């Protein structure tokens, strides 16, 4: 059985890598029993911080990646 492959290059949005690295770091630090629920809470906290006028983690990550 063969699997078709493609030469398509996908672009990761700016800041996405940094955002996922931050989640991975927190998961490793906290060791939650339910990683999916923890991720939902993590991203909700980041969204609330951004809406409150704090630093936007995606924008910050995009700056770090440049």
């Amino acid at each position: 059985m063969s699997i078709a492959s493609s030469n398509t290059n996908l672009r990761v949005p700016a800041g996405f890598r940094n955002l996922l690295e931050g989640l991975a770091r927190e998961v490793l630090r906290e060791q939650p029993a339910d990683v999916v629920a923890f991720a939902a809470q993590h991203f909700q906290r980041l969204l609330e911080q951004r809406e409150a006028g704090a630093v936007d983690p995606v924008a910050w990550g995009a700056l770090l990646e440049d």
Side-chain angles (χ1 to χ4, degrees), residues 12-28 35 38-39 42-43 46 57-58 61-62 65:
V12 176
F16 189 68
R17 178 179 175 174
N18 187 268
L19 194 64
L20 290 182
E21 286 176 354
L23 173 62
R25 190 177 316 110
E26 291 301 313
V27 166
L28 292 172
V35 175
F38 180 84
H42 175 76
F43 289 125
L46 291 178
V58 175
E65 290 173 3

Side-chain angles (χ1 to χ4, degrees), residues 38-59:
F38 180 84
Q41 291 171 353
H42 175 76
F43 289 125
Q44 184 62 41
R45 280 191 304 271
L46 291 178
L47 180 61
E48 290 168 0
Q49 289 173 1
R50 183 179 74 181
E51 289 174 347
V55 174
D56 183 353
V58 175

